[in-house]
Amino acid sequence: HRAEVSTFCNTSLELLCLAAKASASNNPMYNQSMNRPDADGFKDAMDEEVGTLTDMKFWIIIKQRPGMNALGSTWAFKMKQFPNGTINKLKACLCVHGDQQIKCIDVFDTYAPVVNFSTIDYTATLVNAAVEEDIYMKIPQGYKQEGNVLKLCRSLYGLKQSPRNYFNHLSDKLRKVGMVPSVNDPCLFFMDNVICFVYANDCLFFAPKQSDTDNLLGKIRVEGIIFNAENDATGFLGVSIERNEKDQTIMLTQMGLIDRIIEALGLEDASTTKVPSE
């Protein structure tokens, strides 16, 4: 039995490594992004991210003082793709080096619940959650200002307390518009004809009619939650969702990921078969 478990674990690890290798080119580092043919697209995404965070007053610029624990930051880039592998858009996300935070100085409580995945139209959210601690961050790459740092007013990706702040802020707003959390899963909310579950900083909504979702999102926006609505669940976690209303079935596929794994292994020209043992 130990040998079987060991083989299973090794196989699972190999599959995870293949998936990571297949996705690596879709998540380039800063220097890689700035030296690609589509570098201008990533720069535009950076400007959009900084502009949005500035407009939403995520920080104020102050002079750096001696002894100040100014955290570093990094850019997380992503080539957001449709399930078939074609590029949807280039995204840039500014992340704080939360690993540089000091316990009981700029970080205290960090726990946040995570949805049970047996519980899942897709909408990405930017939650305007405030921070209670005094947190400072160095000016990010590409926007350097000598002698200045950013004092964070709201939670950014990477802060250890961000998941907790995001969830508390969002769940409070969902309650205000009439949604009720499940007693079995704190990330699952429901009301009338709409079901919503929160996964990190994303929300997925289910409703019999589009108007039900639209009405709810309108109320949530009034509460200050900014949604970048995708209007379709297709593409969530790279999964293609095909609905057949006639047969009342839903098919989930990940052809884009499969194709990238095949490319990473160099098996594009390999022969195919319907029977695995062959």
Side-chain angles (χ1 to χ4, degrees):
H1 291 299
R2 289 182 179 178
E4 292 177 359
V5 172
S6 177
T7 301
F8 172 78
C9 291
N10 290 336
T11 302
S12 299
L13 182 60
E14 289 172 0
L15 290 174
L16 288 173
C17 290
L18 287 175
K21 182 178 179 181
S23 301
S25 61
N26 299 327
N27 301 274
M29 304 295 287
Y30 178 81
N31 290 332
Q32 293 174 323
S33 300
M34 296 300 103
N35 289 284
R36 291 167 55 111
D38 51 3
D40 288 343
F42 283 109
K43 290 177 182 177
D44 290 342
M46 290 169 57
D47 289 341
E48 181 180 354
E49 172 81 345
V50 170
T52 298
L53 297 176
T54 301
D55 291 343
M56 295 180 65
K57 297 179 173 54
F58 264 66
W59 54 56
I60 57 174
I61 301 176
I62 64 173
K63 290 292 183 180
Q64 186 168 11
R65 302 189 301 271
M68 181 181 288
N69 183 35
L71 308 175
S73 64
T74 187
W75 284 104
F77 297 104
K78 183 175 180 62
M79 295 171 58
K80 189 173 181 181
Q81 296 178 309
F82 291 109
N84 64 4
T86 59
I87 296 176
N88 183 353
K89 65 181 297 186
L90 303 179
K91 299 183 67 176
C93 178
L94 182 60
C95 303
V96 188
H97 278 299
D99 58 300
Q100 298 173 1
Q101 290 182 265
I102 302 174
K103 188 175 178 61
C104 296
I105 298 295
D106 52 16
V107 58
F108 293 90
D109 295 330
T110 60
Y111 171 76
V114 177
V115 70
N116 292 322
F117 240 101
S118 56
T119 328
I120 282 210
D121 287 46
Y122 173 64
T123 306
T125 66
L126 180 58
V127 181
N128 201 3
V131 294
E132 299 177 355
E133 304 83 1
D134 290 332
I135 303 176
Y136 308 97
M137 185 181 79
K138 297 175 183 176
I139 305 293
Q141 286 177 293
Y143 302 89
K144 294 296 183 182
Q145 293 185 24
E146 197 65 35
N148 291 334
V149 295
L150 303 176
K151 184 179 187 299
L152 299 184
C153 305
R154 307 196 180 280
S155 294
L156 277 180
Y157 292 105
L159 289 178
K160 292 182 178 179
Q161 59 267 57
S162 282
R164 178 184 177 87
N165 292 344
Y166 285 145
F167 182 80
N168 288 344
H169 184 75
L170 179 59
S171 61
D172 178 62
K173 299 303 182 183
L174 291 177
R175 287 186 177 94
K176 284 188 176 182
V177 299
M179 299 207 81
V180 179
S182 166
V183 295
N184 297 314
D185 190 335
C187 297
L188 175 66
F189 294 79
F190 55 91
M191 65 175 291
D192 299 332
N193 294 327
V194 182
I195 296 175
C196 165
F197 86 78
V198 180
Y199 182 76
N201 70 316
D202 293 326
C203 292
L204 286 88
F205 295 89
F206 291 95
K209 299 178 183 178
Q210 183 65 44
S211 58
D212 294 330
T213 303
D214 292 340
N215 291 336
L216 177 60
L217 293 184
K219 294 178 181 178
I220 296 175
R221 286 191 179 97
V222 172
E223 293 295 328
I225 301 296
I226 297 178
F227 283 90
N228 299 315
E230 299 287 347
N231 295 321
D232 194 342
T234 295
F236 178 65
L237 297 183
V239 178
S240 175
I241 302 176
E242 300 178 17
R243 299 178 178 85
N244 188 319
E245 295 184 2
K246 180 180 178 181
D247 297 335
Q248 294 187 332
T249 60
I250 297 178
M251 178 178 289
L252 307 180
T253 60
Q254 280 190 296
M255 294 304 299
L257 176 59
I258 293 172
D259 289 340
R260 292 195 296 276
I261 290 176
I262 291 174
E263 182 180 356
L265 291 172
L267 298 175
E268 298 95 326
D269 298 326
S271 59
T272 61
T273 177
K274 295 182 179 179
V275 183
S277 62
E278 295 181 358

